[in-house]
Amino acid sequence: EKLGVGHHASLVSANGLVYFLSDEGVMTVVPAGPDFKVLARNEIGEKCSASPALSEGRMFLRGDTHLYCIGSAGN
């Protein structure tokens, strides 16, 4: 399947999901496996070209002007 143009960031996978971040800052989430189905599509509001980073249950996204941390702070 195609997600459009402008995906320079590497995809990442965690917990059976695959995350694609577009250059325009749109994160598309699909299940890992042979059947393609978009589970979520979220915009961060700014351009991105860096690959997402995963650490201790959190996802870090670097946009043109901000660094985002998505995940739970508890543990």
Side-chain angles (χ1 to χ4, degrees):
E1 297 292 329
K2 294 186 180 191
L3 294 173
V5 296
H7 287 81
H8 288 92
S10 297
L11 61 90
V12 295
S13 179
N15 300 322
L17 301 173
V18 181
Y19 299 85
F20 298 88
L21 181 62
S22 78
D23 295 347
E24 295 301 314
V26 178
M27 177 69 75
T28 303
V29 183
V30 301
D35 297 323
F36 182 84
K37 178 182 178 184
V38 174
L39 300 176
R41 188 169 275 132
N42 301 288
E43 297 184 32
I44 68 164
E46 64 182 282
K47 294 184 184 239
C48 299
S49 58
S51 300
L54 303 173
S55 178
E56 297 183 15
R58 295 181 181 101
M59 179 180 290
F60 296 88
L61 306 172
R62 192 186 82 209
D64 278 351
T65 58
H66 296 90
L67 175 63
Y68 300 90
C69 177
I70 301 166
S72 175
N75 272 7

